[in-house]
Amino acid sequence: MTARPDIAVVGAGPAGMAAAVAAAEAGAHVMVFDEQPGPGGQIYRAIETPGPAGDAVLGADYAAGRGLSRAFRDSGAEYLPGATVWQVSPDREVGVSVDGRARIIKAGAVIVAGGALERPFPIPGWTLPGVMTAGAAQIALKASGLAAADAVFAGTGPLLYLIVDQYLKAGVPVRAVLETTPWSAYLGALPRLPGALLRAGKLRQGLGYIRAIRDAGVPVIRGVSGLAVAGDGRAERVAYTHGGHRHEIAAEHVFVHQGVVPNVNLTRSIGCRHDWDPAQACWRVATDAWGATDVAGIFAAGDGAHVGGAEAARLGGQLAALGALCTIGRIDAAVRNNRGAPIQHALAWELRPRPFLDALYRPAAADRVPAGDDVVVCRCEEVTAGEVRATAALGCLGPNQLKSFCRAGMGPCQGRLCALTVTELLAEATGRPPDAVGDFRRRPPVKPLRLAELAALEPDDTDGGDAGP
Amino acid sequence: MFTEIATDPGAPTVTIVFEGREIATRAGATVAAALLAAGELHFRDTPVGAERRGPYCLMGVCFDCLVEIDGEPNRQACMATVRDGMRVERQRGAAGIGP
Amino acid sequence: MTAGADAIVVGGGLHGCSAALHLAMRGARVLVLEKDTVARHASGVNAGGVRRLGRDLAEIPLADAAARVWHAIGDLVDDDCGFQPSGQVKIGETEAEMAEMAARVERIRALGFAHEVLIGADELRERLPAVAGHCRGAIVVDGDGHANPFRTTQAFHRKARALGVRFLEGTAVRDLARAGGAWTVDSAAGHSQAPVLVNCAGAWGAAMAAKLGEPVPLSAEAFMLMVTQPMAPFVGPVVGAWGRALSFKQLGNGAVLIGGGHRGLADPDANRAGVDVAGLAASARTAAAIFPVMRHAAVVRAWAGIEGETPDKIPVIGESATAEGAFHAFGFSGHGFQLGPIVGRVVADLVTDGATDLPIEAFRIDRFAN
């Protein structure tokens, strides 16, 4: 592992695997780093080692990942599972820890394919044990065959229905689905429906889940607002407003979800430019058609760059590989363009339903920016919405000042679970648009690094020179 | 609580110790999965407000499942794999400085 | 054209805010031009050491006067600035180091300052039970400590504003000219005029000085810091080492802040400072060598702040040698935080009285003239 790769890929989900396959096919020396013990990312989590939940429960879309993981295994790309990337420098040095040992690996180009994470869902009680994301419920099911009976699922977005459907296929009873999609979202999405209808199959799939859930007798309550979880040291009940009245359901497990957003910590810490995406209400790294960021040799692909789902991520990974191969001189621009054209065409087709889905599943403003002052915003440092508002009233304009004032965003998650909330809270409090408010600066290490590992990092672990020709 | 949707009696198991309690679990499981399957939701107490917390994301981004594993604090239970005889403790407040 | 001012301060770091505050306290109308935001660079992200220990001999009188201000900082800025007088300790790891340290303490005493005290291994272990077994002793200064740098700079900023100082953030200075006894400063805010110009531009201070025809060989440095996840309390004072770069302290929330002089990559033109992993690794080795319990620590963030460093590592403070009505306070070389409250007063002395009672001869700008 002392060799310097032509291309380093961070993440072995659909984008990272596809990028690695495409780059290795072109003869490049590729190294792939991923934190999990096996390839697949979160969408194809544990694809090689399924637990008790088989394809019958997890569905055909999940099973489709097996082909890609096989191609990835056969590609010749050097794959390091259990590898935590804690830094990528602007000059393409990858800081990574494997088996408790840190090292620095310099690459000719770096493709960041770190995937998405679930949008923060800051409601009263969201920090109580027993409240988890719907994605977490799905990971427990995929990786360990674990499910919690009689849980309440709350929120909005396709994943919410998918996991409920998987629970039901596994024979696990679900207490209720509380849908927070605001009625206005249906109206907002309507004009975008024609574009999406070109991919009617995708939409039908979603409708199928909803029908199956209703057929199973699970109450699906739509237009819910004011979600709150309460309990003594753990989740015991969920309250919500529906039809103008407050209601309450007992539940020990509450799985919340309101869409996924790019995990920008690594691209931010590299110093890449990011823009506010008003449609998805999140930050995304700015790239060209090949995934190239504004930092030379740094590419981004997949849901970590722009949320579009697994197939779009796979195609985006291929494009980033072509871009990276061109940058390091493996292929020229003409070859890149030739090979890339059909992939770009397929990607455009794949993204056809996105504007409709983005509009439909855009979470209500009240679910993104908590109205109550006592709702925890920063889970790590236990900072509430009220404290953020009070700091804004003191004249704090941006997230980085906020950090120094009240520690929001300074914990180990480095803003992953609060940055979007903070930006939108400050935007609301200061009457400025989110892109003017800005985002937390993210600092290396993007994942905590044991001091002992850092101390053991000797100068000769750092390969000098340049892998590019 | 979390339970396995299907059991495989032939699957290899290991035993870990959580807060003094022996927990048998599937080999290869994460510490978080093992504790969840044993009915545990309370993984740590926060340093600021001494609030109970447990796993939230299970994918390594939320840092709410921090536990002490074999004396080493600040370990993400959802990212660590069980090992036979592993000793796991709740992380209470700030990490202890160890022996 | 902005409204009339008696003084224009360039730079909204701690020194700019302090100079503006002290001028306003004497009734001056002050305008501060800050190219980014107040406390954006080294002022907001430094290690926060409030330290007399180990000062250059020329700085000791200033640091000593500053220490008295720090112990009553609330009287000046209506905020305690997070100041913790937990002491400063500089550890010796060998007998040879201990001998050098003893000589240093003697030299300071001869100058009339008694704040630095040499202690042996037993007392060191009493003060720092977690210290490594090989450590032989230390110089300690009781009454030194640490403060929150961002909060401090903001407190000076707020108090200055309360006294009428106007701050224009996001306002970089483009050009300077003096005519008819007044400076005209051209910035994004237009032309501002005042008879007095104060250069507190930190790492960008040399560019200002060059405009006045007195270049200073200032290098922009990115001093790195890293912070760990909270740990149970195990160290009170700020700890340094005689023989290697280290500044080590545990904050109120249990997090440990490690700095001490390793440099990252400063890019003052792009307003960016990057970290250098090799330097961080060296800091980590030193921290773990002096406090073995640190092997359990997890580093959650590392960063760097851009700071101006002079060849002799002491600041430029005083009147311009080439231009009338211009004053400098910059180039603090990584240890200006503690001096902030006093240097603002010195600048105000120079502006309003033409002299100060504190010795600042060593900081003249024309020491670089040949």
Side-chain angles (χ1 to χ4, degrees), chain A residues 5-6 8 87-95 104-110 270 295-299 327-328 465-468:
Chain A
D6 298 316
Q87 183 191 23
V88 174
S89 74
D91 49 2
R92 308 179 307 284
E93 288 179 348
V94 180
I104 305 280
I105 292 159
K106 173 119 186 177
V110 178
I270 298 168
V295 177
I298 306 288
F299 294 76
T327 292
I328 62 170
D466 204 289

Side-chain angles (χ1 to χ4, degrees), chain B:
Chain B
M1 72 182 255
F2 278 97
T3 49
E4 287 203 352
I5 59 170
T7 45
D8 176 2
T13 61
V14 299
T15 301
I16 65 169
V17 182
F18 177 66
E19 295 278 320
R21 169 190 168 201
E22 288 199 351
I23 291 173
T25 185
R26 287 207 305 148
T30 64
V31 172
L35 297 187
L36 288 174
E40 300 286 352
L41 290 171
H42 171 203
F43 281 42
R44 70 172 184 127
D45 297 323
T46 61
V48 181
E51 306 253 336
R52 290 182 175 199
R53 293 280 174 88
Y56 179 72
C57 76
L58 286 188
M59 57 177 275
V61 298
C62 79
F63 294 86
D64 254 328
C65 64
L66 297 180
V67 291
E68 205 175 291
I69 296 179
D70 292 331
E72 195 185 325
N74 289 315
R75 295 290 305 273
Q76 290 180 286
C78 73
M79 304 299 289
T81 304
V82 292
R83 225 182 23 259
D84 206 34
M86 180 184 262
R87 303 192 75 85
V88 182
E89 307 286 340
R90 288 194 179 103
Q91 184 153 315
R92 293 194 163 82
I97 60 171

